[in-house]
Amino acid sequence: MLGARLAYAVCAAVLVQPCAGTPFQWAFTGSLNQPRAYHTATHTATLLSDGRVLVAGGAGPRPQTFPYPGLASTELYNPATGNWTVTGSLNDGRLLHTATLLRDGRVLVAGGWPDHTDQGPLSGAELYKPGHGKLDTDHRHA
C-alpha cells in the first residue's frame, strides 16, 4: 500500500567489539524485556560509569496504533552477563527525550514527547541514581 508506514519493534541487542580478533564483528546478546520500536529512534541508551547501559523510554511495538505512546519502562544491560534487567519506571512515558550521565553517576532524563501527536513536548525532567541494580525513581523535577 503506497504511503503505508511500517514499524518494527526490536527486542534483540547486538554488541560490537572493535578490539577483538576480528575487528568490528557483531554478536547477539540478551534481549530487552520490553520491545522498543526502532523506526524513530525514540529511546535513549546511556553508558553508566560502572559499564552497564541504561535504556529509557521510547515507543512500544504498536505499528497498527497511532499515536505511538511513549514507554515509561527502563532497563539495565549488564555486559558481564549479557542480560537486561527491568528497573524503575519513568514517571512519564517519553519518546524523543534526552538522557545525560552526570558526573556523580546519576542520569538526567529530560524533555521529549508523551506520544507522536502535537500535544507538545514534556517540560519535566526525571533524575535517576543507579544503585544495587535498581534506579531511584523518587526524584522528579518540573
Side-chain angles (χ1 to χ4, degrees):
M1 182 167 121
L2 188 59
R5 242 184 152 175
L6 296 177
Y8 298 97
V10 176
C11 277
V14 292
L15 297 174
V16 64
Q17 299 180 13
C19 296
T22 309
F24 302 103
Q25 180 177 354
W26 291 87
F28 280 99
T29 188
S31 295
L32 290 157
N33 294 287
Q34 169 69 55
R36 295 167 201 276
Y38 77 88
H39 67 286
T40 54
T42 59
H43 61 278
T44 56
T46 306
L47 179 62
L48 303 177
S49 55
D50 64 4
R52 293 180 298 166
V53 177
L54 172 68
V55 169
R62 299 179 185 94
Q64 72 280 8
T65 306
F66 190 84
Y68 308 111
L71 296 174
S73 66
T74 61
E75 298 187 38
L76 285 171
Y77 174 72
N78 184 336
T81 64
N83 293 323
W84 292 90
T85 304
V86 175
T87 187
S89 293
L90 297 162
N91 290 302
D92 296 310
R94 295 174 186 267
L95 47 94
L96 300 170
H97 56 281
T98 64
T100 305
L101 178 65
L102 303 176
R103 288 180 193 240
D104 63 5
R106 295 178 298 168
V107 177
L108 176 66
V109 177
W113 277 261
D115 55 36
H116 282 90
T117 64
D118 292 329
Q119 291 183 14
L122 295 167
S123 61
E126 302 185 49
L127 191 58
Y128 291 88
K129 180 181 177 185
H132 308 294
K134 298 289 181 187
L135 293 177
D136 229 353
T137 58
D138 59 352
H139 302 287
R140 181 185 170 113
H141 303 276

